[in-house]
Amino acid sequence: MVAIDGLTDLWETLLSAQPDPPPLLVLLTGLVALVVVSTRVPWRIGRNAITIAHEGGHALAALLTGRRLHGIRLHSDTSGLTLSAGRPTGPGMVLTLLAGYVAPPLVGLAGAWILGGNRITLLLWIAVALLLAMLIMIRNVFGVLSLLVTGGIVLAVSWYTSPEVQAAFAYTGVWFLLLGGIRPVAELQRLRARGRMPASDADQLAGITPFPPFFWVTLFALVNLVVLVTGALLLAGPILTEAGITV
């Protein structure tokens, strides 16, 4: 358990850097995340975290582009819906629609950057703060429960576990966000090909731009692949350093 006396100690705890993680931990957590993304039941459970990041991306983009955010719904089938009001076309709507599928790996990239400075506790508390901020806009019971459970787990790990457990949890989570951005894009195109997602983000983007849905699916995939490689290089820093490789 983390022992903290006063705001000064809390601030020092959040900003202090933990020791470099063992390269084996970085490798194993990446493999664990890959297994979760690749297997059916673990993915079905873990995908809720991807949906949270996806809808959070829509919501943040809507706010940053001046749209009025009405609410977010998270569903038990791992789907979600973000409602905003404003111009139905234009850059704001394009960015809002575009943000969903690229948000999980971009969040993972930000996490990888923070982990690059070994500020593991800070990363976990930022995650809790973002989940609490998103909770304000949730408009259904499952969404509230999903965020409370996710945030509770992250907070418990940051408060009650050892630095080693925190490191393993943080690295697994960041790897999962980076890797977990790829599979939904593949699922999107597969469902679109079967005519089962006529109102997908890609199709909506096609409706307000000159580009077809497949262009947007391809863009999602390319962005997420580039972010995955960049994040992986950041996370693999300890492994590369031990091997004497400078990137």
Side-chain angles (χ1 to χ4, degrees):
M1 178 177 178
V2 179
I4 298 176
D5 296 317
L7 291 177
T8 301
D9 287 349
L10 173 61
W11 188 248
E12 291 178 355
T13 298
L14 289 177
L15 295 184
S16 63
Q18 283 76 33
D20 287 334
L24 183 60
L25 180 144
V26 179
L27 179 61
L28 289 178
T29 53
L31 290 175
V32 169
L34 181 60
V35 169
V36 173
V37 172
S38 304
T39 51
R40 182 175 180 180
V41 175
W43 171 247
R44 176 65 178 74
I45 298 171
R47 201 184 194 285
N48 287 287
I50 300 298
T51 302
I52 290 172
H54 179 113
E55 300 305 328
H58 282 315
L60 180 60
L63 291 173
L64 291 178
T65 57
R67 297 179 62 80
R68 297 184 301 278
L69 183 61
H70 286 173
I72 303 169
R73 300 177 69 89
L74 303 173
H75 305 134
S76 59
D77 63 354
T78 72
S79 66
L81 178 66
T82 299
L83 297 174
S84 63
R87 287 186 58 194
T89 60
M93 190 62 188
V94 170
L95 289 174
T96 299
L97 290 169
L98 179 63
Y101 277 98
V102 301
L106 286 175
V107 173
L109 180 62
W113 180 75
I114 295 173
L115 288 180
N118 291 337
R119 285 170 171 77
I120 297 170
T121 302
L122 176 63
L123 172 64
L124 297 177
W125 280 48
I126 288 175
V128 172
L130 290 175
L131 290 168
L132 288 176
M134 188 174 174
L135 184 63
I136 299 172
M137 297 307 301
I138 296 294
R139 296 294 182 264
N140 66 324
V141 174
F142 180 83
V144 170
L145 291 176
S146 183
L147 286 184
L148 288 177
V149 169
T150 304
I153 292 172
V154 177
L155 182 61
V157 169
S158 70
W159 194 266
Y160 292 107
T161 65
S162 66
E164 294 77 14
V165 173
Q166 290 183 32
F169 182 85
Y171 271 86
T172 301
V174 169
W175 275 118
F176 178 70
L177 287 170
L178 290 169
L179 292 164
I182 304 299
R183 182 165 175 174
V185 178
E187 293 174 344
L188 168 64
Q189 182 55 28
R190 185 169 63 250
L191 291 171
R192 284 194 65 261
R194 299 173 182 174
R196 294 174 57 185
M197 289 191 70
S200 71
D201 293 349
D203 288 277
Q204 292 183 65
L205 282 164
I208 61 174
T209 67
F211 306 106
F214 187 70
F215 169 86
W216 294 106
V217 176
T218 303
L219 182 61
F220 296 156
L222 289 176
V223 170
N224 289 359
L225 284 171
V226 170
V227 173
L228 169 59
V229 172
T230 306
L233 289 174
L234 289 173
L235 292 176
I239 298 175
L240 298 176
T241 299
E242 188 169 276
I245 301 173
T246 303
V247 179

